[in-house]
Amino acid sequence: MKHLLITILLLAPFFTYANESQQIDKLAKPILDLFSKNEIEHVASKALEHSSVSDYISKADLIQTDSQFHGYLNVLGKFYSLQLIHQQGIEGTYSTRWYVLKYQRQPALISLEFYKADDEWEVHSINLKLELDDYLEERSKIEIGKLGIKKEN
């Protein structure tokens, strides 16, 4: 009995994390499907439609954001695929996922933020970046800086 209780206590965080991840997956899927279906006209408003955040954003701002997303993505050519490239957060409260969207002309980076204030996870924000090379350049500077100056022998 003692071993069973210890096993249950050790596995509880794993099941909590798995359930949390599944809830976030469920929120992210319809948003990500919009890109796959090339239904990008209302990405921002659809992403936030069931979020309490939308209560604090004017309809005009959402329309403008939808228009910006559509304008930026529409010129990238054919959509091929997407890939989750990074995720991090505060367990049980906040999570961010970064996806690379692979388009014919160039990649785009999208981040989805999820927040759980009380009992339910919701989409907190959606962000689009087209300058993926800027992220790589910044990381390269860090890596080059780590090399330091070589000592002469």
Side-chain angles (χ1 to χ4, degrees), residues 20-106:
E20 180 176 291
S21 184
Q22 289 173 347
Q23 290 174 17
I24 292 172
D25 288 344
K26 189 176 177 180
L27 288 171
K29 185 175 180 356
I31 300 164
L32 300 174
D33 286 347
L34 294 173
F35 296 100
S36 300
K37 297 175 185 174
N38 198 30
E39 296 176 2
I40 55 174
E41 295 82 14
H42 305 287
V43 170
S45 56
K46 287 184 179 184
L48 298 174
E49 71 183 345
H50 300 295
S51 174
S52 63
V53 171
S54 64
D55 297 339
Y56 302 96
I57 301 172
S58 73
K59 297 289 184 201
D61 285 343
L62 272 177
I63 290 169
Q64 181 180 5
T65 304
D66 281 337
S67 177
Q68 288 173 337
F69 267 75
H70 184 258
Y72 292 140
L73 294 172
N74 198 40
V75 297
L76 297 182
K78 181 180 177 186
F79 174 82
Y80 290 107
S81 65
L82 60 87
Q83 176 184 358
L84 175 65
I85 57 171
H86 184 67
Q87 61 184 346
Q88 71 182 53
I90 302 166
E91 188 176 330
T93 301
Y94 186 82
S95 182
T96 303
R97 291 181 176 184
W98 287 267
Y99 298 87
V100 65
L101 305 172
K102 297 177 184 179
Y103 281 92
Q104 182 178 15
R105 194 169 138 232
Q106 76 177 57

